[in-house]
Amino acid sequence: MDNGDDYEALPTSKFTTHLLAGAMAGMGEHCIMYPIDCVKTRMQSVRTSQQMYRSVFGTLRTIIHNEGFLKVVRGLNVVAVGAGPSHALYFACYEHLKKKLSSGRPGQSPLVNAIAGSIATLVHDAAMNPVDVIKQRLQMYQSPYKSGIDCMRTVWHSEGSLAFYRSYTTQLTMNIPFQVIHFVTYEIGQEMLNPTRKYNPKTHVISGGCAGAIAAAATTPLDVCKTMLNTQESLILNNKNGTSVAITGMINGMRTLYMKEGLSGFFKGLRARVIFQIPATAISWSVYEFFKFMLTSQVNTTDSNNGNGLAMASSKLSLKGDQQ
């Protein structure tokens, strides 16, 4: 087996390789692109998007000018802590299932890639959903929370533990098709640009960026609803009697959004989402494939050295036996 085959067809016992590579990919993707993620949240916000934010980079300039640079990275520490474990499980689960379900070489079957991606999404979102709630509440305009810990405590005491999973069904409804499109497009890109499946940074960047752009554009309406469910902004929580009512569920969120902003409201932040996802998925896949390659090469080198050591020891024993 050559290095290319070793890299793509890692044995099941190297599950930790996918965990470590996935964790690095998740932290790299979310941390590097976090300011654009903050812009996306602000543009999708019901309270501020129409009055203050009209373009991606204009929004970024407005936030920095009016609130300071630290506002666009507020909540970054929360995401850094959550993205590592969730993406470790995400990539490890995907790789494991892709290999187990494939009858031939892993990555060739779009159906297998879609199934593996869907199941990996269930695991990832279960771990990441509370992090998203805290992150987006910290990203809000005039957020009342002092820190991530303060946000977690306040939400827990005032809204209960279920508030951290209020958008979970919407998240899954969005992320399962997102990841199906994402993984299938990425694997098709790899089959076209890198059929030997050797480590090739350029193809990982191109395939990842294209996959992210297509998946992001297709699922933007559900992402807007998820933002609404996560932030629960005070302006949209008042019913006809003037009392505060929480928005619960995807259907309720869609109905509220349509009543407030019409059909165009479902596509708020589309450009920001695509601009975020193109480099984010390119970074994620290139970092993941890099660490997978490095860790696999290290394991292969160690195994090779151990094999050479055993061969030398065996040879010495044979020589002693011949001399006797």
Side-chain angles (χ1 to χ4, degrees):
M1 184 182 285
D2 62 20
N3 290 336
D5 293 333
D6 286 345
Y7 166 66
E8 184 60 32
L10 289 170
T12 307
S13 61
K14 300 300 181 292
F15 189 74
T16 52
T17 298
H18 302 303
L19 286 172
L20 292 170
M24 297 304 297
M27 287 188 288
E29 169 194 348
H30 284 280
C31 291
I32 292 171
M33 297 305 300
Y34 192 82
I36 303 299
D37 185 55
C38 178
V39 168
K40 177 183 72 71
T41 298
R42 291 289 185 97
M43 293 185 76
Q44 290 177 344
S45 168
V46 172
R47 182 167 48 170
T48 59
S49 58
Q50 292 180 339
Q51 294 86 352
M52 300 175 64
Y53 309 129
R54 299 183 181 277
S55 67
V56 177
F57 295 105
T59 300
L60 186 62
R61 283 195 300 269
T62 299
I63 297 172
I64 294 173
H65 181 266
N66 294 341
E67 305 172 52
F69 175 76
L70 291 179
K71 283 294 181 182
V72 297
V73 293
R74 193 163 189 254
L76 177 60
N77 57 333
V78 176
V79 169
V81 171
S86 61
H87 276 69
L89 293 170
Y90 170 69
F91 277 108
C93 183
Y94 173 70
E95 292 279 11
H96 179 72
L97 290 171
K98 184 178 73 170
K99 187 174 180 180
K100 283 291 184 183
L101 298 175
S102 296
S103 56
R105 191 178 68 184
Q108 287 185 316
S109 170
L111 179 60
V112 168
N113 298 335
I115 293 171
S118 299
I119 297 173
T121 300
L122 290 172
V123 177
H124 169 272
D125 286 2
M128 197 67 182
N129 209 89
V131 175
D132 275 340
V133 172
I134 296 170
K135 174 200 75 174
Q136 290 195 305
R137 294 204 181 199
L138 291 171
Q139 290 174 334
M140 285 167 50
Y141 177 63
Q142 295 180 340
S143 173
Y145 308 106
K146 297 177 182 178
S147 65
I149 298 296
D150 177 56
C151 179
M152 183 176 67
R153 286 174 180 165
T154 304
V155 172
W156 183 281
H157 290 304
S158 61
E159 301 176 47
S161 59
L162 292 179
F164 293 105
Y165 285 94
R166 189 179 280 133
S167 64
Y168 186 55
T169 53
T170 303
Q171 183 99 334
L172 289 177
T173 306
M174 175 187 71
N175 276 351
I176 287 177
F178 177 94
Q179 298 301 350
V180 167
I181 296 169
H182 171 207
F183 281 118
V184 169
T185 305
Y186 179 79
E187 296 291 356
I188 289 173
Q190 285 297 285
E191 284 295 315
M192 293 173 60
L193 301 174
N194 187 19
T196 60
R197 295 303 182 105
K198 293 184 178 180
Y199 176 63
N200 188 329
K202 184 170 70 174
T203 65
H204 301 318
V205 169
I206 295 171
S207 299
C210 291
I214 295 168
T219 56
T220 293
L222 290 167
D223 188 53
V224 178
C225 291
K226 183 202 78 171
T227 298
M228 179 185 292
L229 290 168
N230 279 345
T231 57
Q232 297 287 313
E233 294 174 279
S234 58
L235 187 67
I236 60 175
L237 298 181
N238 295 326
N239 63 13
K240 293 179 181 179
N241 299 323
T243 56
S244 182
V245 179
I247 298 173
T248 56
M250 181 177 66
I251 301 301
N252 190 7
M254 287 183 167
R255 188 184 299 117
T256 303
L257 183 61
Y258 183 75
M259 288 173 58
K260 292 289 181 183
E261 303 195 39
L263 193 61
S264 62
F266 290 93
F267 296 93
K268 294 188 306 177
L270 171 62
R271 189 174 300 174
R273 182 165 160 78
V274 172
I275 289 174
F276 170 82
Q277 286 294 344
I278 290 174
T281 48
I283 291 167
S284 180
W285 278 109
S286 58
V287 172
Y288 173 71
E289 298 284 6
F290 170 75
F291 277 98
K292 191 172 86 169
F293 173 72
M294 291 296 292
L295 291 167
T296 306
S297 300
Q298 190 175 42
V299 169
N300 288 343
T301 301
T302 303
D303 290 344
S304 177
N305 291 338
N306 290 339
N308 291 337
L310 288 172
M312 289 178 65
S314 177
S315 177
K316 288 179 180 178
L317 288 173
S318 298
L319 287 171
K320 285 183 179 181
D322 292 341
Q323 290 173 354
Q324 291 175 353

